[in-house]
């Protein structure tokens, strides 16, 4: 008979015969996903929680390993009710098992009955590097030892108390490796130093199969170890597996879970298909990258009807492709109830296996959490790679060179509780669930590694934790100090064996300092705190082409406000093309900017209807309510089709508020002029388009307008214009959805330009003889806020614009007071100390020397 490698459960299964096998942990968890609630009492309160199946499966496995007879304990007079509940769970698991699958105690009982067949079924048995045997299998091994030779290669010299003289014991060979103790800055530094050590061994000719790196708590180091090892292309095998979410297949499964639970909006569906492509999926991964070329990336596609409408262009050019995407969206729209169907239909390979495993760990609603805990095999052969894993795992892979991480007082040995969540000590009574405490196992693992390592053993500890708190050495540090040297390593020291390119550059400071990119970064950092102005502050060559092009565009009130109050923002937006993405997402309530857009669209629609009826002078409240009500229906329908809206009750409340405010604002436009003609949404300065002549206009939409006294061309849309042609009077209203506020001056320091611009536009297009009354009508205000001196306001604006244009043409693209606004779109470009500190505390004096005249013209004081 050839030699076989078996687990203890495998030994029992071979002896039991009949193709029987022990129940797998995943099968226990899957069976407990739907626990027998009718048979539970105290546990019923938590049986529906996501982690219950995993916790209950762990308790049952611990009880089986401890060889506890749950039924006998439950039948004991005065026994705690928890034992009966565990019996119910065990019975439920047994009922769900496929044929030939046995519970561990049943399998061992069947094996013991056939122990006399061990010479034929097993032959001589060797226990290789087992630190202990669970009580469940002890009697079985003793029975086997009566018929065949059992050899135990121990990790220590002790003989098991439960089997004195029963086995041929081979004590561990005492090794004397060279020891070194290292203290590092923190766990991340520890991991970096460990991998540098690995690199130095590999460079010296040590094969990867002779090197191991371990820790008690691998989770604290896993991310850094895997990231740094991948960057250095080190041959590394993770004995405990890799986090599923760090693999393409895991990302594919996680993306599908996110879309299934949160809904198939555009971003989630795009991510599902992109991760499928990265994972090499033959289904969704085969979709071309241009499948979404016709979709607006900011569109809110949060339901099947919107997806069907958005996919119409794709359906015309590639109907099968559109059908696949739409079918995916429809399946995802079902929600967690369809988790099994969705996973089987859309996943493949490792992603499908991860999905199935995650569903055994918890309910579909907890898929993201289950996938986050899930670990997959990394596919690396440990015989040709450095092993990285827990200290316990390293005992199965004895290596000549071992490095241990995390020997701090709180980490090694661990201080966690050994109490089981479902079988606490108060329930166990005299029974023992685990003979060895967590701290004892950690201590024994360290001592065993000391004995089994042949050449080099390096132990390290962090001086600070990942949270910055100081860490004391482990009490085991003294054990390691015997015959060892200790040294302290700091990150600034660098290394002779750099791990990768970035590590090499960081270790060679002169080379790093000579790097052009580093020099630019250093110069930018220094410029942020220098009192004088420089290129980083906006000093460019005079008449820079990009600045000139930005000035030659048609300007709105928004662009002129940026030009006057923050030229940085003006250049970033109109010269460099910076735009702020505004993705549409599901909302519970409208943001202020969206509430303003809704009101403006409602007013525009209502004004257009009133204009069509020739009733813009109509102030009858009933008529206004009728028009606004109809307009609100049309606007709401468009929004529901094209934009995300709040839940129904909140959406109706928003519409009700918008209708009320719109009626009030339309009624407060002022007393009608004799023979008044009114116009709504009156554009100027735009490019001519087909259909522009359909509505009655005072001037063509492409009418050329310049700001008087300047060369700047203007464009915009006047919300409402009332004309008294006989008396040469014009009233211009700009509707504001924001809260009413007091204006200190006509230009308000450059913040409020619309009234002044509209005054200049009307006089230029209709004639200078017209008297213009331009006002802002805020929601809730009793009357529009009009200019106090329109002509003086136009002259002041022209002088300020000429001064601002002159500064830019001279190469002074400097920030202004607008940079301190929390709504400034270029805030990300300023130092981390904040734009306010940069402008007010560091650069203010130098900036004032350059733009002092502009601030004086705008009425801005320090």
């Amino acid at each position: 008979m050839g030699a076989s490698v078996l687990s203890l459960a495998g030994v029992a299964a071979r002896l039991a015969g009949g193709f029987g096998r022990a129940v797998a942990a995943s099968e226990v968890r899957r069976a407990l996903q739907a626990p027998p609630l009718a048979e539970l009492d105290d546990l019923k309160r938590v049986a529906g929680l996501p982690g219950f199946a995993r916790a209950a499966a762990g308790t049952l496995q611990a009880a089986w390993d401890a060889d506890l007879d749950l039924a006998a304990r439950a039948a004991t007079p005065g026994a705690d009710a928890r034992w009966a509940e565990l019996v119910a769970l065990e019975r439920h698991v047994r009922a769900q098992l496929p044929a030939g699958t046995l519970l561990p105690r049943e399998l061992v009982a069947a094996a013991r009955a056939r122990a006399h067949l061990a010479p034929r079924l097993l032959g001589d048995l060797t226990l290789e590097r087992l630190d202990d045997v669970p009580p469940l299998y002890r009697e079985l091994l003793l029975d086997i030892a009566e018929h065949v030779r059992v050899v135990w290669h121990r990790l220590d010299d002790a003989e098991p108390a439960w089997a004195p003289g029963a086995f041929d014991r081979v004590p561990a060979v005492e090794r004397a490796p060279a020891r070194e103790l290292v203290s590092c800055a923190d766990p991340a530094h520890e991991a970096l130093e460990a991998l540098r050590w690995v690199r130095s061994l590999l460079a010296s000719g040590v094969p990867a199969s002779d090197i191991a790196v371990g820790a008690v708590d691998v989770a604290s180091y896993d991310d850094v170890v895997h990231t740094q090892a991948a960057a250095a292309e080190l041959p590394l095998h993770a004995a405990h597996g890799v986090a599923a979410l760090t693999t393409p297949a895991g990302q594919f499964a996680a993306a599908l879970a996110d879309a299934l639970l949160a809904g198939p909006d555009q971003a989630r569906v795009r991510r599902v298909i992109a991760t499928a492509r990265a994972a090499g999926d033959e289904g969704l991964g085969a979709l071309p990258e241009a499948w979404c070329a016709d979709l607006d990336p900011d569109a809110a596609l949060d339901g099947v009807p919107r997806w069907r409408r958005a996919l119409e262009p794709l359906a015309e050019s590639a109907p099968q492709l559109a059908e696949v995407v739409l079918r995916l969206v429809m399946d995802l729209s079902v929600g967690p109830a369809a988790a099994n169907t969705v996973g089987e239909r859309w996943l493949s390979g490792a992603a499908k296996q991860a999905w199935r495993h995650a569903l055994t760990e918890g309910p579909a609603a907890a898929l993201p959490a289950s996938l986050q805990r899930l670990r997959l095999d990394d596919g690396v052969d440990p015989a040709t790679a450095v092993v990285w894993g827990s200290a316990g795992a390293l005992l199965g892979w004895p290596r000549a060179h071992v490095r241990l991480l995390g020997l701090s007082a709180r980490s090694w040995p661990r201080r966690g509780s050994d109490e089981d969540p479902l079988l606490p000590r108060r329930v166990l009574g005299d029974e023992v669930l685990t003979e060895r405490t967590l701290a004892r196992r950690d201590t024994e693992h360290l001592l065993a590694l000391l004995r089994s390592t042949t050449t080099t053993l390096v132990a390290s500890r962090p001086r600070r934790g990942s949270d910055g708190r100081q860490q004391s050495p482990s009490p085991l540090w003294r054990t390691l100090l015997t015959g060892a040297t200790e040294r302290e390593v700091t990150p600034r020291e660098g290394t002779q064996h750099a791990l990768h390119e970035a590590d090499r550059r960081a270790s060679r400071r002169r080379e790093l300092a000579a790097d052009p990119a580093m020099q630019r970064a250093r110069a930018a950092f220094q410029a942020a705190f220098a009192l004088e102005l420089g290129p980083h502050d906006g000093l460019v060559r005079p008449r820079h082409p990009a600045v000139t092009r930005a000035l030659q565009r048609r300007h709105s009130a928004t662009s002129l406000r940026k030009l006057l109050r923050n030229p940085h923002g003006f250049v970033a937006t109109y010269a460099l093309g910076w735009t702020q993405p505004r993705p549409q997402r599901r909302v519970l309530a409208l943001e202020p900017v969206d509430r303003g857009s809704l009101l403006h669209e409602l007013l525009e629609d209502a004004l257009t209807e009133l204009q069509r009826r020739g009733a813009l002078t109509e102030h009858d409240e009933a008529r206004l309510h009728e028009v606004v009500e109809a307009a609100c229906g049309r606007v709401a329908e468009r929004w529901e089709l094209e934009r995300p809206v709040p839940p129904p009750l909140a959406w109706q409340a928003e519409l009700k508020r918008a209708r009320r405010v719109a009626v009030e604002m339309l009624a407060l436009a002022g007393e009608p002029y004799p023979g008044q003609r009114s116009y709504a949404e009156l554009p100027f300065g735009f490019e001519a388009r087909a259909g522009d002549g359909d509505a009655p206009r005072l001037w063509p939409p492409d009418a050329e307008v310049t700001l008087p006294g300047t060369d700047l061309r203007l464009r915009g849309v006047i919300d409402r214009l009332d004309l008294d042609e006989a008396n040469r009077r014009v009233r211009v209203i700009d509707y504001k959805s924001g809260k009413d506020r007091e204006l200190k001056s006509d230009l308000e320091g450059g913040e409020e330009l619309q009234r002044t611009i509209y005054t200049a536009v009307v006089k230029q297009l209709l004639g200078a003889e017209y008297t213009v009354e331009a006002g802002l009508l805020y929601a809730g205000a009793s009357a529009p806020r009009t200019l106090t001196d329109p002509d003086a306001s136009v002259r002041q604006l022209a002088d300020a614009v000429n001064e601002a244009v002159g500064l830019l043409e001279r190469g002074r693209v400097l920030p202004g007071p607008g940079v301190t606004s929390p709504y400034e779109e270029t805030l990300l470009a300023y130092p981390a100390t904040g734009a306010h500190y940069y402008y007010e505390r560091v650069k203010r004096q130098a900036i004032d020397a350059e733009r002092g005249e502009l601030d004086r013209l705008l009425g801005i004081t320090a």
Side-chain angles (χ1 to χ4, degrees), residues 803-861:
E803 178 64 23
V805 170
L807 285 173
L808 264 61
E809 290 179 338
R810 294 195 299 273
R812 267 50 182 169
V813 186
L814 304 175
V819 75
T820 62
S821 168
Y823 304 105
E824 173 55 46
E825 296 172 345
T826 57
L827 285 179
L828 187 63
Y830 293 97
T833 51
H836 187 275
Y837 179 88
Y838 162 81
Y839 178 76
E840 294 288 352
R841 302 285 298 277
V842 180
K843 304 290 184 177
R844 183 61 184 266
Q845 186 173 354
I847 291 174
D848 285 348
E850 295 287 347
R851 61 168 286 144
E853 177 61 17
L854 176 56
D855 288 343
R856 185 191 65 79
L857 290 171
L858 292 173
I860 298 174
T861 58

Side-chain angles (χ1 to χ4, degrees), residues 600-612 616 666 677-684 695-699 717-723 731 733 735:
H600 263 87
E601 287 191 34
L602 178 55
L603 287 168
E604 177 184 353
D605 193 293
L607 284 167
T608 303
E609 177 61 19
L610 288 171
Q611 183 182 35
R612 188 187 66 80
L616 270 173
L666 290 172
R677 285 190 292 144
S678 297
Y679 301 86
E681 299 298 318
L682 200 57
F684 59 88
R697 302 290 186 189
L698 265 178
W699 53 71
V717 178
I718 298 175
D719 289 345
R720 174 171 178 163
L721 184 146
D722 297 332
L723 174 65
R731 180 192 299 119
I733 298 295
Y735 293 108

Side-chain angles (χ1 to χ4, degrees), residues 741-753:
R741 62 191 183 97
E742 189 70 32
L743 301 178
K744 299 177 181 178
S745 64
D746 284 349
L747 294 183
E748 194 67 8
E751 289 187 1
E752 205 300 290
L753 305 180

Side-chain angles (χ1 to χ4, degrees), residues 722-741:
D722 297 332
L723 174 65
D724 178 5
E725 195 167 6
N727 296 302
R728 294 293 190 264
R729 292 185 299 174
V730 171
R731 180 192 299 119
V732 174
I733 298 295
D734 189 70
Y735 293 108
K736 296 292 184 184
S737 59
K739 189 177 180 180
D740 189 17
R741 62 191 183 97

Side-chain angles (χ1 to χ4, degrees), residues 377-402:
D377 182 73
D378 61 6
V380 179
D381 184 359
T384 60
V386 177
V387 170
W388 154 244
S390 65
L394 295 190
L395 295 176
W397 278 296
R399 299 285 170 114
H401 304 272
V402 175

Side-chain angles (χ1 to χ4, degrees), residues 12 19 71 101 126 137 152 232 256 288 320 333 404 430 449 472 500 557 592 749:
F19 301 102
T101 303
T126 300
Y137 299 101
W152 191 346
L256 194 70
Q320 292 181 336
S333 299
L404 303 177
D430 296 334
L449 286 170
S472 302
H500 42 62

